[in-house]
Amino acid sequence: PTCCQRHSQQQQQQHAYLSAMVKLLKDVQKQLTPEVAIKVTTGLMVAGGGAMLAVPKRMWNLFAHGRPPWEKVEKSADPDVPLEPDRHHKQLLRWVGFMALSMAGVVTKLTLGDDMEKNRKPMCEVLAGVCAAGVAMDGVVMSQENPGQNENATIVDAAVGGTLAAMNFVASRDVEDE
C-alpha cells in the first residue's frame, strides 16, 4: 500500500477505536445513574468518616505514615512525624470524620427519597466539584517540599477523589441515545 493508503487505513482504525470507546462510555453512563454515584460516594464518606471518628489513632497510620489503618507502625519513616497522634491530632481526625458523616447525611437527605429525584444530577455536579477540589488539594500537598501528609496517603486520596469526581460528573450528564 502507498503512504496515503496506509494513512487512510490508520484513520479508519482510529475512527473505529474511538467509536467503540464512545459506545462503551455511553453504555457505562447508562448504568451509572446519579443514584448509584451518590450511594457509592456517600458510602465512602461514611466508611472513612466513621473510621476517623471511631478510631482516629488507626487513621493516623494512613494519613501520617501512609500505612493501612490495620497495620501496626513500629517506626516513623519521617523523624518529624510522631509514631502516635497526640490528643490534638486525634481530635482533629474526629472532627474531619464528623464532617464527612454530616456531609453524607445531608447529601442522602437531599437526594435519596422518592420525591428527591430532581436533586440527584445537581448533587452529582456538586460532588464532582468537591472531589475535584480535593484532588487539587492533593496536588498542592504533592508539590510541597515538606508536606503535612504522607505521600502514599496523598496518592491514594487523589486516585479515589479523582475516580469519584469523574464518576459523579459522568452521572450528572444526560445520556444521549443514538
Side-chain angles (χ1 to χ4, degrees), residues 22-146:
V22 167
K23 183 184 180 327
L24 175 65
L25 288 173
K26 285 183 179 185
D27 290 345
V28 167
Q29 188 179 17
K30 287 177 186 174
Q31 300 300 314
L32 184 59
T33 66
E35 186 174 8
V36 168
I38 289 167
K39 286 181 178 179
V40 169
T41 305
T42 56
L44 288 171
M45 284 179 193
V46 167
M52 284 185 258
L53 194 58
V55 287
K57 186 176 171 181
R58 288 294 182 193
M59 294 306 284
W60 178 258
N61 287 352
L62 176 63
F63 292 106
H65 301 292
R67 308 299 309 162
W70 55 86
E71 194 175 285
K72 182 158 178 56
V73 178
E74 299 288 337
K75 184 174 186 259
S76 180
D78 183 342
D80 292 336
V81 178
L83 191 59
E84 305 257 331
D86 62 20
R87 62 189 171 103
H88 303 289
H89 285 105
K90 284 182 191 173
Q91 190 58 33
L92 182 62
L93 284 165
R94 286 185 189 109
W95 275 111
V96 172
F98 169 75
M99 294 306 297
L101 291 171
S102 298
M103 185 171 173
V106 168
V107 169
T108 300
K109 179 71 176 166
L110 291 175
T111 59
L112 295 182
D114 287 338
D115 58 339
M116 297 296 177
E117 190 172 344
K118 68 185 181 310
N119 296 341
R120 291 180 190 150
K121 284 188 179 188
M123 183 59 76
C124 283
E125 290 175 346
V126 169
L127 291 172
V130 167
C131 292
V135 172
M137 224 168 64
D138 290 324
V140 170
V141 169
M142 292 297 286
S143 73
Q144 295 172 340
E145 190 173 317
N146 190 12

